[in-house]
Amino acid sequence: MRINVRVNGVPSEADCWEGESLLFALREKLGFPGSKNACEQGECGSCSVLLDGVLVCACLVLAAQADGHDVTTIEGLGTEEELHPVQAAFVETGAVQCGFCTPGLVVAAADLLERVSDPSDDEIREALSGNLCRCTGYVKIFEAVRLAASRGAGA
Amino acid sequence: MTVVLTPGKLGVGRVGDRALRSDGTPKVQGQFAFASDMIAPGMLWGHTVRSPHAHAEIVEIDISEAVAMPGVHAVLTHADVPGAKTYGLEFADQPVLAIDRVRYYGEAVALVAAEHPEQARRAAELVKVTYRELVPVTDMERALESAPLHAGKPTAGHGYREDDRPNVVRHVVIRHGDPDVEGDVTVTGTYELGIQDQAFLGPESGLAVPDGEGGIDIYAATQWLHVDRRQIAPCLNLPEQQVRLHLAGVGGAFGGREDLSMQIHAALLALHTNRPVKIVYNREESFFGHVHRHPARIWAEHRATREGRIVCVKMRILLDGGAYASSSTAVAANAASFAIGPYAVANALLEATAVYTNNPPCGAMRGFGAVQTCFAAEAQMDKLADLLGIDPIELRLLNAAAPGDVLPTGQRIEGSFPVAATIRAAAALEPPAPEPLPRDPLRLPGGAGNTTRGEGVKRGIGFAVGFKNIMFSEGFDDSTAARVQLFADGSAEVHCASAEVGQGVSDVILQVARTELGTDLVRLAPQTTATVGSGGSTSASRQTWMAASAVRDACRAAIERRDAGDAEVDVEIVYRHAETTPLDPETGQITGDRAHVAFSVCAMKVVAEVDVELGLTRIVWIGAAQDVGRAINPLAAEGQVQGGAAQGMGLAVMEEIQTRNGLITNASFTDYLIPTALDMPAMDVVLVEDPDPAGPFGAKGIGEPPTVTATAAVASALRAASGQPLTRVPVTPEALIGLSR
């Protein structure tokens, strides 16, 4: 089937098999491999994207369900030259190691700061608890979110 | 709102600076290409047919239906492997594709290549394999009395101790002083650890591209490009020059990518179809795709004087290596070598046996044998302190080893070994004050489950210290090559195949090169077998020492040439650390000056809360002191300690691969739990700097010690909080309320 999705503001279309997830369509059909596939069952958050502004795991959404909707991926945050404040904060605090979880965590953190501009430590932990990271122990990720918040990322 | 990264922060940083990652920006933008992101024109998708049995004979493989499926280009079995039919990191005991027998659940049996991954998956289901089931050997003690799982002894003839018991991969005995010496007091204990998975976030993936001349380029996520090639080429029946390995973005490794996974398989399919072939494992398959941390059973006996001096340690360690040898021989040696911890003890009898079973294959994982014994040894230390009424930290300081002391292998410790300083640094960290009640449920054991208002919640403080070797040991010819090109415009390019797996060796290399060359105009070339010699393994906490030393020496050689008048310089050198020799197979004593090159120590203090009514836990805080020699990049070093602690904590409280008759029953992130943002405690990290005279700039590797110590330290805190013995990890709710071990 043919689906039409606006990805990062740009209308895109792809031929998809009905069983394909939005994650597969984004990565393999639409040219947005930034979202990662690490569990394919909504446990790890590596494929976090915004569907009409709502944080979802792209692996749990069928490509067909996204037909006619807006999707924001990691590639849609910041620009080539200028980073989203959450992205910059991740680099500056050492919150990135292997980086496989990073796109999902950046999208989830940016979503948190959109909703809560000055989150408490508990709010940060709870908001990111659906995003697994195996390298960092999260400590520097929390620092990154606090740094981005202090710079008014959610303002 | 967007921001430009603070100008001047990227692409700079010398030795000792908190340099930012050179790959940080593409990683936060989603632009960094991981192995699973590779694509090539005309690419096919590969899929692996795997055994549903832990132990069975293969009677017949019928591929006829699968190969007739639309979109399918190839279905391959062992008969299609053109060269060597078996491979292995150290011993070629593992079939590329199972031949007449499968020895573990999920073993690769056949391969499919198709246009679409779903076609490949469906075709794989149509490969009809007829099995005759055999009784699986699933208990590591019974394995020593069961029929051998391998014909002959794959690990015989390598200078190990002779052992006639069936299924012994390696039996290590270290006899030190007089193990019959008695003390005033004795504590004994039996300990057990479950199987831990590396659970790197990026599942095994890669792309193989035929070069049109019979050779192949393989883009894969691995820990050691050159040793992959050494194993792959014979199976493809190709000379090594026709097999080029290129590092694709690695989504974490932790030991799990030291052995091959999809590399030979993708290459076979690509050469057979003459098309690029990509293989991407999903999470379930990833649990079958790599070796895990050895589960262990440990019997320990510590004898000490009334004053707390340990006079003798006896420990027997049994490690389940699973179906194939992988690096079990070295894990067994490490388990025995570091069994007593970083203490000076005059007498010991330490015995480690790794066995074959039909359980999931085990091999390298961060900590490599030392994690298991640290858990047992540190539990014994707490027990001894309790019996003698001595403060547990004082007891550790009383027995702490120092340079000049002798390890149980007879090796005299040289260089940096600040055990007491590291223990003191961790002990000095001030834990947070107990939080008053009532609290948000998130800050109580049980968390969002809202299982308590705080009644029945007890707080405990634990402590542990651990250590392990850095770099390869026991006579292994361990080297790292580095190549430096200096150009007329003053810029430089560094080639070093030391695999970047997320730990930050790329930045260590760049920081060293910038420092040595006195310029920021330094690029790191893509990591590959094509342009430089072996970087050695990204394991054994070895790359900081090895890559930094190699790059330092290559830069110095390049400057020498330039100063001699060469306009453009291109030099490659090979760095080797001090020579090691094997342990004597009978006594476990060194046969030269050393079996291990250098050591790194980590100490941790942990605060835990336990709901003693429900057996639920909350790890509140970890204070860690890590011996680093000298930090080349303190920012990255802290990250290693934090991440390493998280993995050690995971083993202590939640992580275990569950099996039933050898079949893994929790191969998913729904059922195999790793710490989340809500599980991870606050952490304080101190880097203890005691430069090693032999290390580059005084630096030592530190990837593993935090994991070694964290499991023991978390278990210690849970014991303090619960009052239960907790002799098995991961600790269960039942054990925390006294209903089981």
Side-chain angles (χ1 to χ4, degrees):
Chain A
M1 65 178 290
R2 171 144 301 204
I3 62 161
N4 289 282
V5 193
R6 206 160 34 248
V7 184
N8 302 328
V10 180
S12 322
E13 60 175 36
D15 283 317
C16 290
W17 168 61
E18 293 82 344
E20 281 170 12
S21 66
L22 173 60
L23 177 61
F24 186 85
L26 285 169
R27 288 179 49 79
E28 307 296 340
K29 301 271 171 82
L30 294 162
F32 295 94
S35 309
K36 301 302 170 206
N37 180 356
C39 80
E40 235 172 339
Q41 52 182 210
E43 291 289 347
C44 76
S46 303
C47 62
S48 301
V49 298
L50 302 176
L51 180 63
D52 293 337
V54 176
L55 187 70
V56 296
C57 287
C59 72
L60 294 185
V61 177
L62 286 174
Q65 287 176 288
D67 185 38
H69 293 269
D70 273 295
V71 175
T72 305
T73 71
I74 185 67
E75 289 96 336
L77 293 188
T79 65
E80 192 88 351
E81 303 301 320
E82 297 197 333
L83 299 176
H84 184 282
V86 170
Q87 292 173 317
F90 266 63
V91 176
E92 290 179 60
T93 56
V96 179
Q97 287 190 30
C98 91
F100 205 83
C101 69
T102 304
L105 270 157
V106 167
V107 170
D111 174 66
L112 167 67
L113 296 182
E114 279 291 317
R115 294 181 284 111
V116 187
S117 61
D118 186 21
S120 68
D121 285 0
D122 286 348
E123 285 173 313
I124 294 172
R125 286 172 180 271
E126 194 168 23
L128 301 184
S129 63
N131 292 78
L132 298 176
C133 170
R134 190 55 159 168
C135 295
T136 66
Y138 306 100
V139 179
K140 291 188 187 300
I141 291 172
F142 302 148
E143 280 174 35
V145 178
R146 288 193 289 265
L147 177 64
S150 74
R151 288 174 175 171
Chain B
M1 175 187 165
T2 56
V3 293
V4 180
L5 271 183
T6 315
K9 276 199 176 175
L10 285 176
V12 296
R14 308 284 168 97
V15 168
D17 290 347
R18 298 174 73 85
L20 303 184
R21 289 187 74 97
S22 54
D23 59 12
T25 304
K27 281 178 174 175
V28 297
Q29 290 178 312
Q31 303 291 347
F32 182 84
F34 289 92
S36 51
D37 301 331
M38 302 277 121
I39 46 170
M43 180 180 92
L44 300 174
W45 292 78
H47 194 79
T48 312
V49 179
R50 294 182 179 277
S51 167
H53 305 294
H55 195 197
E57 280 174 29
I58 295 175
V59 179
E60 194 192 359
I61 305 175
D62 177 4
I63 65 166
S64 56
E65 261 187 78
V67 84
M69 284 278 286
V72 170
H73 288 251
V75 181
L76 306 181
T77 69
H78 65 87
D80 302 297
V81 178
K85 301 280 187 188
T86 61
Y87 72 97
L89 198 53
E90 296 184 52
F91 313 95
D93 64 349
Q94 181 157 5
V96 175
L97 293 167
I99 300 164
D100 50 7
R101 189 172 182 182
V102 287
R103 295 182 179 84
Y104 75 97
Y105 176 58
E107 181 161 359
V109 177
L111 303 167
V112 178
E115 302 275 349
H116 189 283
E118 190 58 26
Q119 289 172 325
R121 274 194 288 269
R122 289 183 180 198
E125 283 171 17
L126 293 178
V127 174
K128 292 213 168 69
V129 186
T130 310
Y131 295 97
R132 183 178 300 126
E133 281 190 66
L134 301 169
V135 177
V137 177
T138 58
D139 182 275
M140 52 182 134
E141 286 176 73
R142 288 204 185 155
L144 294 167
E145 298 154 5
S146 305
L149 294 170
H150 290 265
K153 284 216 163 198
T155 56
H158 285 80
Y160 303 141
R161 184 186 184 85
E162 298 228 359
D163 193 315
D164 291 335
R165 293 173 296 173
N167 296 312
V168 170
V169 181
R170 184 176 178 187
H171 180 209
V172 180
V173 176
I174 296 175
R175 183 179 285 276
H176 175 55
D178 176 9
D180 294 327
V181 165
E182 298 288 337
D184 299 325
V185 295
T186 299
V187 291
T188 59
T190 306
Y191 302 91
E192 200 170 295
L193 300 95
I195 318 181
Q196 188 179 20
D197 189 64
Q198 292 82 354
F200 38 67
L201 262 280
E204 291 84 344
S205 303
L207 174 69
V209 184
D211 67 7
E213 296 169 4
I216 190 116
D217 288 272
I218 303 171
Y219 301 81
T222 174
Q223 292 177 222
W224 190 356
L225 294 159
H226 288 73
V227 93
D228 278 11
R229 179 172 68 169
R230 201 184 71 208
Q231 295 170 86
I232 296 165
C235 298
L236 301 178
N237 201 23
L238 289 174
E240 284 196 3
Q241 310 84 275
Q242 282 190 276
V243 179
R244 287 163 301 273
L245 265 287
H246 312 283
L247 193 69
V250 184
F254 318 118
R257 299 190 208 269
E258 199 166 43
D259 293 77
L260 294 175
S261 58
M262 47 55 64
Q263 289 92 325
I264 303 176
H265 296 165
L268 286 171
L269 289 169
L271 289 168
H272 191 86
T273 59
N274 203 27
R275 299 262 295 261
V277 173
K278 172 167 160 172
I279 295 183
V280 178
Y281 291 179
N282 66 14
R283 179 55 53 186
E284 181 187 25
E285 192 171 16
S286 180
F287 278 89
F288 313 131
H290 59 259
V291 298
H292 314 283
R293 183 187 307 292
H294 290 72
R297 244 168 253 164
I298 301 171
W299 295 264
E301 178 176 334
H302 282 55
R303 299 174 190 161
T305 64
R306 241 177 292 282
E307 294 73 37
R309 276 301 303 187
I310 303 167
V311 295
C312 181
V313 176
K314 286 184 166 183
M315 211 183 278
R316 190 156 64 84
I317 305 144
L318 197 52
L319 300 157
D320 186 345
Y324 296 103
S326 180
S327 49
S328 286
T329 53
V331 170
N334 265 23
S337 290
F338 310 122
I340 66 174
Y343 303 117
V345 177
N347 310 289
L349 180 59
L350 310 166
E351 189 194 340
T353 310
V355 299
Y356 284 121
T357 67
N358 294 114
N359 287 322
C362 290
M365 182 174 172
R366 196 176 197 172
F368 204 78
V371 170
Q372 291 91 331
T373 46
C374 182
F375 168 65
E378 288 299 278
Q380 289 281 99
M381 293 300 281
D382 280 350
K383 231 173 165 174
L384 188 59
D386 189 43
L387 179 70
L388 294 170
I390 298 177
D391 177 81
I393 293 169
E394 288 307 317
L395 180 74
R396 287 168 170 90
L397 286 169
L398 181 66
N399 290 286
D405 284 336
V406 175
L407 295 169
T409 53
Q411 178 173 343
R412 192 166 292 282
I413 299 162
E414 299 167 348
S416 160
F417 197 57
V419 180
T422 306
I423 292 173
R424 287 200 180 94
L429 291 169
E430 199 54 50
E435 293 168 53
L437 294 168
R439 284 183 225 161
D440 187 309
L442 283 186
R443 305 185 75 81
L444 284 165
N450 200 10
T451 51
T452 178
R453 285 165 298 184
E455 66 278 14
V457 172
K458 307 273 188 229
R459 176 181 160 109
I461 297 182
F463 195 89
V465 58
F467 84 124
K468 90 171 277 295
N469 59 326
I470 52 180
M471 297 168 288
F472 282 13
S473 302
E474 289 193 272
F476 192 94
D477 181 18
D478 195 15
S479 68
T480 293
R483 177 181 162 203
V484 171
Q485 294 172 287
L486 302 181
F487 303 106
D489 65 359
S491 71
E493 185 159 63
V494 180
H495 299 257
C496 181
S498 298
E500 170 64 58
V501 300
Q503 84 283 39
V505 69
S506 298
D507 301 288
V508 167
I509 290 169
L510 287 165
Q511 285 174 262
V512 168
R514 290 180 198 128
T515 302
E516 289 293 324
L517 300 173
T519 175
D520 290 335
L521 301 175
V522 180
R523 290 178 304 278
L524 177 60
Q527 293 168 321
T528 169
T529 59
T531 64
V532 65
S534 173
S537 184
T538 292
S539 64
S541 304
R542 67 182 281 292
Q543 289 295 15
T544 291
W545 180 305
M546 297 298 289
S549 297
V551 170
R552 174 200 61 197
D553 291 355
C555 286
R556 289 180 185 177
I559 289 169
E560 219 168 273
R561 294 268 185 90
R562 188 183 61 195
D563 291 350
D566 295 1
E568 300 230 324
V569 172
D570 186 348
V571 291
E572 180 168 342
I573 64 97
V574 176
Y575 171 83
R576 284 184 164 75
H577 58 64
E579 189 188 3
T580 64
T581 54
L583 296 173
D584 180 275
E586 293 309 312
T587 63
Q589 296 300 293
I590 50 169
T591 52
D593 289 336
R594 65 185 75 78
H596 301 290
V597 187
F599 308 95
S600 176
V601 186
C602 180
M604 287 182 185
K605 190 195 277 186
V606 175
V607 176
E609 291 180 336
V610 174
D611 182 336
V612 297
E613 294 169 352
L614 296 175
L616 301 176
T617 63
R618 174 185 175 226
I619 309 305
V620 178
W621 172 84
I622 299 177
Q626 172 64 49
D627 151 35
V628 299
R630 182 181 169 205
I632 288 188
N633 184 337
L635 183 68
E638 290 161 10
Q640 286 299 300
V641 178
Q642 292 158 348
Q647 289 182 7
M649 181 191 82
L651 175 59
V653 296
M654 64 182 81
E655 294 186 36
E656 182 175 9
I657 292 181
Q658 313 266 351
T659 59
R660 194 182 303 126
N661 287 326
L663 313 184
I664 298 181
T665 59
N666 62 340
S668 75
F669 277 168
T670 305
D671 299 313
Y672 183 93
L673 303 182
I674 64 173
T676 70
L678 283 170
D679 299 310
M680 188 63 194
M683 266 194 89
D684 287 313
V685 176
V686 190
L687 304 179
V688 177
E689 295 206 309
D690 174 37
D692 193 303
F697 311 94
K700 298 198 285 190
I702 60 146
E704 295 166 285
T707 306
V708 171
T709 302
T711 304
V714 169
S716 171
L718 293 172
R719 275 184 213 110
S722 68
Q724 299 295 338
L726 308 182
T727 55
R728 186 185 196 281
V729 286
V731 168
T732 60
E734 290 82 356
L736 284 161
I737 59 173
L739 293 179
S740 75
R741 293 174 65 204

